[in-house]
């Protein structure tokens, strides 16, 4: 497990899946804002689920976000789009409604940076988020990510196009936080 001050990133457990599906994926409006593909229902037990344990895609490393001490499941995080040749990857996270607004997002991003740079040897990490996702904007900026640009009307979200903000962080700009 990767440990921060208050939270940890651990392997996904079978009993995490129904909670993550119910509170993150089945929230159609929230899921549509977080994913680049259109939302669609996932049947129970499906092996194609984005939160499945049976992922064989080496370009994605999924984690469950847990509270240290209690072990309570707080959400999901991942390094995705991993390009080992160019040493580049994207970060993503989703917190359960009960875990939002408590600063966990910044700590998740810090742990994903540690995993990407130290464990995986990445050179660059990237975050893309819709422009009105204030929590993710804060989490990226508080971890040293540089706003590199805005992709105008790049995200189709629930019947409208939204701008998407792109952040990047290079390993030499990153400062590992204990």
């Amino acid at each position: 497990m990767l440990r921060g001050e208050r939270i940890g990133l651990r392997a996904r457990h079978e009993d995490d899946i129904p909670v993550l599906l119910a509170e993150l994926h089945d929230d159609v409006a929230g899921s549509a804002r977080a994913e680049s593909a259109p939302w669609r229902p996932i049947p129970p037990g499906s092996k194609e689920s984005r939160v499945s344990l049976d992922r064989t895609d080496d370009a994605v490393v999924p984690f469950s976000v847990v509270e240290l001490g209690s072990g309570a499941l707080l959400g999901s995080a991942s390094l995705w789009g991993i390009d080992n040749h160019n040493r580049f990857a994207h970060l993503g996270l989703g917190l359960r409604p009960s875990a939002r607004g408590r600063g966990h997002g910044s700590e998740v991003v810090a742990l994903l940076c540690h995993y990407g740079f130290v464990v995986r040897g990445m050179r660059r990490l990237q975050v893309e988020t819709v422009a009105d996702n204030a929590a993710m904007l804060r989490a990226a900026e508080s971890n040293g990510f540089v706003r590199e640009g805005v992709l105008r009307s790049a995200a189709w979200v629930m019947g409208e196009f939204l701008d998407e903000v792109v952040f990047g962080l290079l390993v030499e700009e990153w400062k590992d936080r204990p």
Side-chain angles (χ1 to χ4, degrees):
M1 177 187 300
L2 295 172
R3 295 178 182 274
E5 290 181 27
R6 299 176 298 149
I7 60 112
L9 300 182
R10 65 157 166 76
R12 184 142 314 134
H13 296 173
E14 188 71 41
D15 56 348
D16 296 345
I17 293 174
V19 176
L20 294 173
L21 285 174
E23 293 192 29
L24 298 180
H25 179 77
D26 288 347
D27 169 11
V28 177
S31 186
R33 294 174 61 78
E35 302 290 340
S36 59
W39 183 90
R40 62 185 179 82
I42 297 173
S46 172
K47 299 298 183 199
E48 63 183 274
S49 165
R50 293 177 188 198
V51 297
S52 168
L53 295 176
D54 299 328
R55 294 194 72 109
T56 57
D57 183 356
D58 289 336
V60 178
V61 178
F63 295 99
S64 285
V65 179
V66 295
E67 188 171 50
L68 294 178
S70 72
L73 178 65
L74 300 177
S76 175
S78 65
L79 213 63
W80 61 275
I82 298 170
D83 179 339
N84 287 313
H85 176 72
N86 293 304
R87 296 173 50 203
F88 165 81
H90 303 260
L91 308 184
L93 69 104
L95 295 175
R96 296 173 64 188
S98 62
R100 295 176 190 157
R102 297 175 19 203
H104 294 312
S106 292
E107 193 169 352
V108 171
V109 170
L111 288 173
L112 288 171
C113 287
H114 177 84
Y115 178 75
F117 291 135
V118 175
V119 178
R120 295 299 297 260
M122 295 290 119
R123 167 115 175 85
R124 173 186 166 80
L125 296 175
Q126 184 168 310
V127 171
E128 302 90 9
T129 188
V130 289
D132 64 355
N133 185 346
M136 191 61 188
L137 298 173
R138 275 191 311 274
E141 289 171 341
S142 72
N143 279 283
F145 279 80
V146 175
R147 186 182 295 235
E148 295 180 334
V150 174
L151 305 174
R152 297 175 300 142
S153 293
W156 177 252
V157 178
M158 301 298 289
E160 66 178 321
F161 285 103
L162 299 177
D163 291 349
E164 195 169 67
V165 180
V166 178
F167 289 93
L169 182 63
L170 303 178
V171 68
E172 62 267 15
E173 298 167 339
W174 175 69
K175 304 241 185 319
D176 192 10
R177 293 172 172 84

